[in-house]
């Protein structure tokens, strides 16, 4: 156990409304009627070309014409370097290597997924890099931008690049962590001029709250925000709490961090400086917390609480997460899109933590 009795983490405000209650999972079975339905369903329009798996990722995933773009080339270099350094740090702690899958697409772009599964410390840790050229339906554009304008029609040509990560440790006392940093461009379309923006953030989801851990994590990102813009931290912290709200339950997914999107109010390289420092601080902000708690003793009941909190994580990602819905709507690589989901999770019907317990 930790040095003090932990409080169960139930949401950013830590109040009693964050009490898990959902259905007990049922064993999956093959269903003939589902197979028949899938067989006759019309194929979805892919906004992204199919993947060509490769043994080794190329030096760049950009189209040759974009190698003269200082923003795109610098951003790709940044996200690939971050993937390398973060995977190395995690693998050094876990003692387990990452599996790597890489792919390209015929007209440009591709991706690199690295996953460590059932390791010594992490049940699942994944870091994705993607460079995407494609077109998206209006609903995907709205998912990507948060727009509610439903007046436009037709597919929107776009470029997107990003690095994303989710880490689910075995130990209930070690927190889950997620980050995503991305750059997005759309071409002029349907009377709307071409647009560019950055988005991203890093957030944390503990099952049990250790206040000193949260001070360390949030303090690091406040320092980074204050360095780049004194208004950033309060704004991006609030945005994070709002974005990671599981609306159908009235609960937050975790204990927040920072989150920003559609950021283009400064020059692209200035915003990229901020994104780069954020992603390069992930190891220092998160890994010490896992190292601290990876060998803590825990009970079966604490493990079960972690499983239910992971159930909440799954609910948010599949219902509300912009990146997940955007990937599914544009025909992205499914295994990479769903990499964020934990290996195990649980739903118990109407579970009510006992008053006075750490989970209460």
């Amino acid at each position: 156990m930790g040095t003090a009795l932990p409080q169960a983490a139930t949401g950013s405000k830590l109040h009693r409304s964050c009490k898990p209650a959902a259905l007990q999972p049922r064993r999956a079975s093959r269903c003939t009627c589902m197979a028949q339905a899938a067989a006759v369903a019309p194929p979805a329009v892919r906004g992204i070309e199919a993947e060509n798996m490769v043994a080794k990722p190329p030096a760049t995933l950009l189209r040759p014409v974009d190698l003269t773009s200082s923003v795109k080339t610098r951003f790709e270099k940044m996200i690939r370097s971050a993937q390398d350094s973060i995977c190395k740090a995690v693998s050094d702690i876990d003692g387990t290597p990452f599996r790597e899958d890489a792919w390209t697409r015929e007209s440009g772009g591709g991706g690199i997924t690295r996953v460590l599964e059932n390791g010594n410390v992490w049940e699942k840790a994944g870091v994705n890099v993607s460079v995407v050229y494609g077109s998206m339906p209006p609903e995907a554009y709205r998912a990507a931008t948060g727009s509610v304008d439903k007046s436009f029609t037709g597919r929107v040509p776009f470029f997107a690049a990003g690095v994303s990560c989710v880490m689910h440790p075995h130990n209930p006392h070690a927190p889950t962590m997620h980050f995503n940093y991305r750059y997005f461009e759309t071409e002029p379309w349907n009377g709307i001029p071409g647009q560019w923006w950055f988005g991203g953030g890093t957030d944390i989801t503990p099952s049990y709250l250790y206040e000193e851990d949260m001070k360390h994590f949030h303090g690091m990102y406040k320092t980074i925000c204050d360095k780049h813009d004194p208004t950033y931290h309060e704004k991006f912290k609030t945005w994070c709490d709002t974005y990671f709200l599981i609306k159908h339950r009235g609960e937050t997914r975790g204990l927040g961090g920072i989150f920003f999107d559609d950021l283009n109010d400064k020059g692209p390289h200035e915003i990229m400086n901020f994104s780069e420092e954020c992603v390069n601080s992930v190891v220092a902000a998160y890994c010490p917390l896992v190292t601290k708690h990876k060998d803590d003793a825990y009970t079966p009941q604490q493990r079960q609480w972690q499983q239910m909190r992971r159930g909440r994580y799954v609910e948010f990602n599949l219902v509300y997460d912009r990146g997940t819905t955007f990937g599914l709507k544009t025909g992205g690589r499914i295994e990479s899109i769903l990499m964020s989901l934990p290996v195990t999770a649980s739903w118990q019907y109407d579970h009510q933590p006992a008053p006075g317990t750490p989970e209460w």
Side-chain angles (χ1 to χ4, degrees), residues 247-270:
K247 299 180 182 67
H248 59 273
R249 292 191 182 274
E251 303 173 14
T252 55
R253 187 178 77 172
L255 292 188
I258 61 169
F259 176 88
F260 60 94
D261 211 352
D262 310 321
L263 198 62
N264 59 6
D265 59 341
K266 300 179 181 180
H269 287 285
E270 187 175 357

Side-chain angles (χ1 to χ4, degrees), residues 260-323:
F260 60 94
D261 211 352
D262 310 321
L263 198 62
N264 59 6
D265 59 341
K266 300 179 181 180
H269 287 285
E270 187 175 357
I271 299 174
M272 202 182 315
N273 289 340
F274 171 64
S275 296
E276 187 168 25
E277 186 164 0
C278 286
V279 73
N280 287 341
S281 299
V282 165
V283 169
Y286 173 64
C287 287
L289 309 184
V290 177
T291 301
K292 176 181 176 181
H293 295 293
K294 65 184 179 66
D295 298 317
D296 286 359
Y298 58 89
T299 67
Q301 291 75 20
Q302 289 170 331
R303 171 68 172 169
Q304 184 58 35
W305 176 255
Q306 177 198 51
Q307 296 298 292
M308 288 188 286
R309 296 312 305 164
R310 285 183 178 175
R312 297 297 204 264
Y313 207 94
V314 171
E315 289 179 28
F316 177 87
N317 281 29
L318 293 181
V319 177
Y320 301 112
D321 184 70
R322 283 189 189 180

Side-chain angles (χ1 to χ4, degrees), residues 214-225:
M214 296 302 100
K215 288 178 181 178
H216 169 80
F217 178 84
H218 292 294
M220 284 204 67
Y221 282 98
K222 183 179 189 306
T223 298
I224 296 168
C225 287

Side-chain angles (χ1 to χ4, degrees), residues 116-230:
L116 185 163
E117 195 166 281
N118 294 319
N120 298 308
V121 177
W122 278 277
E123 186 173 287
K124 190 177 188 182
V127 187
N128 285 341
V129 158
S130 62
V131 173
V132 181
Y133 297 87
S135 67
M136 53 184 164
E139 60 268 24
Y141 178 83
R142 288 189 285 267
T145 63
S147 170
V148 295
D149 184 358
K150 297 185 178 180
S151 63
F152 47 77
T153 59
R155 300 186 69 84
V156 188
F158 73 90
F159 165 86
V163 58
S164 61
C165 168
V166 175
M167 299 194 181
H168 298 286
H170 287 292
N171 197 300
H173 297 287
T176 285
M177 183 276 300
H178 157 265
F179 73 77
N180 178 291
Y181 291 92
R182 56 197 175 274
Y183 174 68
F184 211 99
E185 287 185 9
T186 61
E187 297 179 14
W189 158 81
N190 205 23
I192 300 174
Q195 301 180 56
W196 63 266
W197 64 89
F198 289 85
T202 306
D203 62 279
I204 197 158
T205 305
S207 297
Y208 289 91
L209 173 63
Y210 292 89
E211 292 187 8
E212 63 272 22
D213 294 351
M214 296 302 100
K215 288 178 181 178
H216 169 80
F217 178 84
H218 292 294
M220 284 204 67
Y221 282 98
K222 183 179 189 306
T223 298
I224 296 168
C225 287
D226 290 348
K227 173 182 174 181
H228 289 266
D229 189 317

Side-chain angles (χ1 to χ4, degrees), residues 12 234-247 251-253 256 259 316 320:
S12 64
E234 183 60 32
K235 179 166 59 177
F236 294 165
K237 178 182 180 298
T238 301
W239 201 343
C240 186
D241 291 339
T242 302
Y243 176 76
F244 289 108
L245 177 66
I246 307 172
K247 299 180 182 67
E251 303 173 14
T252 55
R253 187 178 77 172
F259 176 88
F316 177 87
Y320 301 112

